[in-house]
Amino acid sequence: MAERIDDTRVAVLVANEGIEQVELTEPWKAIENAGGHPSLIAPQPGEVQAFNHLDKADTFQVDRAVGEADPNDYDALMLPGGVANPDQLRMSPEAVAFVKAFFEAGKPVAAICHAPWTLVEADVVRGRTLTSWPSLQTDIRNAGGTWVDEEVCTDQGLVTSRKPDDLPAFCAKMVEEFAEGRHAAQASSV
């Protein structure tokens, strides 16, 4: 039987432009299919522009601007990738603080592809093992994390994957960790 996350509120944090569309839409569907309630959070209200690699794809309506979003209103956090997406997020103090709050509370977090750049900026990878798009491995190591080349990696409630091909494993492990809820060890390590 598949994991259920009925009534779990998931913040899906993205920049207003540069999200890899499939890394937004597939986890979103997985959250909904497991009974969760995703909410799209971005630095600015309005819409976000997704991409299929470097080509513009669809736009999606923002549910709440990150400056108006309270991490206490959510049970988990999902961070899609795309090169420009996390690069912009890590330049937003409000977005970085939002991410850090999930770690401080021990709430589960899932990040795919380039999304760990935002985790590096939030200073939450120190002492953790994670994966990402290969070009981030030096950044992760420099931030005190251990980088591994694996389809999906889990470390105390943090789920990471490398690329869109990893989405089936990523989505399954994300839902599993979201179902487990808070991780006390995660909160104490930040």
Side-chain angles (χ1 to χ4, degrees):
M1 183 174 149
E3 295 278 345
R4 298 294 303 167
I5 56 171
D6 294 323
D7 301 322
T8 298
R9 300 159 300 164
V10 181
V12 180
L13 180 63
V14 298
N16 286 85
E17 186 173 40
I19 308 107
E20 184 68 32
Q21 181 159 314
V22 71
E23 293 175 358
L24 169 63
T25 58
E26 290 303 306
W28 188 282
K29 285 184 218 169
I31 292 164
E32 287 184 328
N33 289 342
H37 303 285
S39 182
L40 193 61
I41 312 295
Q44 301 299 319
E47 292 184 334
V48 298
Q49 176 68 60
F51 283 75
N52 292 323
H53 190 52
L54 298 175
D55 298 322
K56 282 189 176 181
D58 297 325
T59 58
F60 298 89
Q61 187 64 42
V62 172
D63 293 309
R64 182 165 288 158
V66 72
E68 299 170 359
D70 183 348
N72 293 318
D73 292 341
Y74 304 96
D75 304 302
L77 174 65
M78 193 275 155
L79 298 166
V83 178
N85 175 43
D87 192 47
Q88 291 178 50
L89 282 179
R90 66 186 178 156
M91 297 300 294
S92 166
E94 292 173 323
V96 172
F98 189 78
V99 169
K100 192 169 184 97
F102 281 83
F103 283 84
E104 290 171 346
K107 294 178 182 180
V109 175
I112 188 166
C113 200
H114 288 80
W117 261 342
T118 308
L119 304 179
V120 166
E121 191 65 32
D123 194 25
V124 296
V125 301
R126 188 172 319 283
R128 296 184 182 282
T129 299
L130 60 155
T131 193
S132 67
W133 186 255
S135 65
L136 275 65
Q137 62 185 295
T138 299
D139 298 320
I140 290 167
R141 288 181 181 130
N142 287 344
T146 300
W147 187 86
V148 294
D149 184 12
E150 296 175 3
E151 180 180 49
V152 65
C153 179
T154 305
D155 186 324
Q156 301 171 12
L158 171 61
V159 178
T160 52
S161 283
R162 305 166 300 187
K163 57 190 174 185
D165 289 347
D166 298 340
L167 278 164
F170 175 76
C171 290
K173 186 53 84 170
M174 172 191 69
V175 169
E176 179 183 321
E177 290 299 310
F178 289 2
E180 287 180 16
R182 291 180 188 261
H183 289 68
Q186 182 175 337
S188 64
S189 68
V190 175

